[in-house]
Amino acid sequence: MSSEAMAARKLLSAAAVHERSEQLFQHGLDGRLRHFTIHPEKLDACADEVVKTIRSSYPALDIPFHARWRHITAGGYDRWGAVMETAQWDDAAAMARAAFDLAIISVLLDAGAGSIWRYEEGRTGETFTRSEGLAVASFNMFAGGAFSSHPEDPFRVDEDVLLALTPEELAEGFQVGPDNPIVGHDGRISLLNRLGRVIATNPDIFGRHDDPRPGGLFDVIAATAVDGAIKATTILETLLAHLGAIWPGRISLGGINLGDTWRHPLCEAGDASNGLVPFHKLSQWLSYSLIEPLQWAGYTVIDIDGLTGLPEYRNGGLFLDSGVIALKDPADEKRSHTVDSTLVVEWRALTVALLDRIADPIRTKLGLSKSAFPLAKILEGGTWATGRRLAREKRADGSPPLTIISDGTVF
């Protein structure tokens, strides 16, 4: 393996996200970041806001993990539970493959939809927006067999359907039209098409016990179990290893597509990955979302705090709206920023580092230990919801404090 490939592989981990984000955080404390200042003295008040949200939403502190399954139950309806009651799977592994199929598709379609898009669910008569709307729309396509090439089994996703899926089909499923536009529509369909291509060309990975499908990764991950336990970091590393080729061509190193990895001049590595900052937001969001299917199949998932907080606009908005970080140039609040801009890279890195730092104050205020209240619950309870609440309090449309130009594959 070349030195470049070795450097690239180091970036495909949660540890690299932690380490590179921490570098930029320290530069921020030293006043060296181009776009942000850091105000640690405001972190405790920010933690108070998160605790306020947690106590309001979960007075008994019975908080589930931050995962796509929370959005799939939008409106209080257990959609996946209804599927589990009607589906006829042969065993727990078959159920888990279906759950993996749904989670993978739904997470990959979960980049920000914008403030205009709406989804009206005929079954419940409710209208959903943003992450909940995307989750409900993707679930209903899945449950309706839109991704299956097996008429007798609608609750699956098959590579040939993904390869052939058209923008028009996805637009119909997501109720997209001139009066209901969605951000990054073409990017979403391209991502699913590329997923189909990766699965089709790697049947030994995705089709070990069935026709090739995203859910084939269940068998890959389950094979890593030791005494029935699987590391959460192993889930992420498996996703990065086998789904890396689905991401749009951005930065490659040693022939390896680095996915959600971006450049920043202050990041030092001492090898060919110098200047590169990984985040792997959607892959980590997916990793969190695959924990429960593995548990349903009888496995224990450990080292959950080995994953990082998610560097997206709700968590990032929490720290900006609470004053923990501030723009050096207030005019940047009015500008639009690309995902590869130095400003967005700094914002995301600071978000990862600050989520690490806010976790203990939140636990202390709630009287909970780290083992009882891992980061996955803090995110759900939690920082993401507080970021959304503060956005609604500060802006009529609930939009994040910064405007990001998204292609539908990052945020």
Side-chain angles (χ1 to χ4, degrees):
M1 184 183 298
S2 70
S3 59
E4 286 193 345
M6 291 176 63
R9 293 204 177 278
K10 287 197 303 183
L11 294 176
L12 302 181
S13 68
V17 178
H18 273 294
E19 187 269 327
R20 302 294 169 101
S21 295
E22 183 65 23
Q23 273 198 38
L24 293 189
F25 182 81
Q26 293 301 324
H27 284 306
L29 291 177
D30 294 337
R32 299 183 63 203
L33 291 183
R34 183 178 302 172
H35 298 285
F36 290 94
T37 56
I38 304 174
H39 305 275
E41 73 279 3
K42 296 188 177 183
L43 192 62
D44 192 67
C46 182
D48 284 336
E49 289 290 343
V50 177
V51 169
K52 176 182 175 182
T53 302
I54 290 172
R55 291 200 180 280
S56 173
S57 301
Y58 299 95
L61 301 182
D62 52 346
I63 304 170
F65 290 148
H66 193 51
R68 194 60 168 152
W69 306 101
R70 310 291 82 77
H71 296 151
I72 289 173
T73 59
Y77 176 47
D78 186 2
R79 295 170 180 81
W80 176 248
V83 166
M84 293 185 73
E85 288 181 3
T86 58
Q88 297 181 346
W89 293 302
D90 293 334
D91 53 27
M95 176 278 298
R97 291 183 199 109
F100 265 51
D101 277 346
L102 172 57
I104 291 170
I105 289 298
S106 192
V107 166
L108 293 183
L109 290 169
D110 190 36
S115 60
I116 299 175
W117 179 78
R118 302 286 187 272
Y119 178 81
E120 183 176 342
E121 186 178 36
R123 180 193 297 108
T124 63
E126 291 193 65
T127 298
F128 301 98
T129 63
R130 299 188 181 274
S131 287
E132 289 85 352
L134 294 167
V136 173
S138 57
F139 171 86
N140 284 327
M141 288 188 70
F142 171 85
F147 301 112
S148 172
S149 59
H150 294 66
E152 76 285 359
D153 182 8
F155 307 130
R156 59 180 291 135
V157 176
D158 287 292
E159 47 86 15
D160 54 336
V161 176
L162 293 175
L163 275 168
L165 195 67
T166 67
E168 292 75 20
E169 289 171 324
L170 189 64
E172 180 179 0
F174 276 59
Q175 301 174 0
V176 174
D179 297 327
N180 193 33
I182 194 170
V183 171
H185 181 69
D186 290 346
R188 294 170 205 273
I189 192 69
S190 296
L191 196 60
L192 295 189
N193 293 156
R194 286 194 296 273
L195 175 63
R197 190 173 305 114
V198 166
I199 294 170
T201 54
N202 294 279
D204 56 321
I205 298 296
F206 295 92
R208 294 183 180 183
H209 296 282
D210 199 349
D211 292 341
R213 55 193 288 197
L217 285 179
F218 165 76
D219 300 289
V220 178
I221 294 171
T224 70
V226 177
D227 296 329
I230 296 169
K231 290 184 176 181
T233 49
T234 297
I235 301 173
L236 175 62
E237 288 160 12
T238 301
L239 296 177
L240 293 174
H242 297 303
L243 296 183
I246 74 173
W247 303 111
R250 295 185 182 118
I251 298 173
S252 292
L253 184 62
I256 297 173
N257 184 347
L258 298 179
D260 187 8
T261 297
W262 310 92
R263 299 188 187 278
H264 194 285
L266 293 180
C267 185
E268 299 178 354
D271 61 21
S273 67
N274 200 56
L276 298 179
V277 185
F279 295 114
H280 309 310
K281 182 262 177 175
L282 282 178
S283 295
Q284 294 206 78
W285 178 219
L286 180 52
S287 297
Y288 282 118
S289 300
L290 296 181
I291 291 173
E292 285 158 279
L294 289 165
Q295 292 174 330
W296 298 334
Y299 293 95
T300 299
V301 179
I302 60 175
D303 194 25
I304 295 173
D305 271 347
L307 301 175
T308 79
L310 300 179
E312 43 74 51
Y313 64 80
R314 290 306 184 199
N315 287 321
L318 166 67
F319 297 117
L320 197 50
D321 280 337
S322 64
V324 178
I325 59 176
L327 291 164
K328 287 186 173 181
D329 181 359
D332 279 330
E333 186 176 340
K334 304 299 182 184
R335 301 182 179 113
S336 296
H337 308 278
T338 59
V339 293
D340 64 343
S341 66
T342 303
L343 182 146
V344 172
V345 174
E346 290 181 1
W347 188 32
R348 300 181 77 194
L350 294 179
T351 298
V352 171
L354 286 166
L355 286 170
D356 284 341
R357 284 165 171 79
I358 203 172
D360 279 342
I362 292 170
R363 294 180 183 118
T364 298
K365 292 173 187 294
L366 293 173
L368 296 171
S369 66
K370 184 175 182 179
S371 60
F373 204 48
L375 184 59
K377 293 189 175 186
I378 291 173
L379 294 171
E380 178 61 27
T383 56
W384 187 89
T386 306
R388 172 182 272 188
R389 175 172 65 81
L390 294 182
R392 287 173 172 165
E393 291 173 1
K394 290 178 176 291
R395 290 169 293 279
D397 63 355
S399 60
L402 294 176
T403 301
I404 308 299
I405 301 170
S406 175
D407 64 358
T409 66
V410 177
F411 285 97

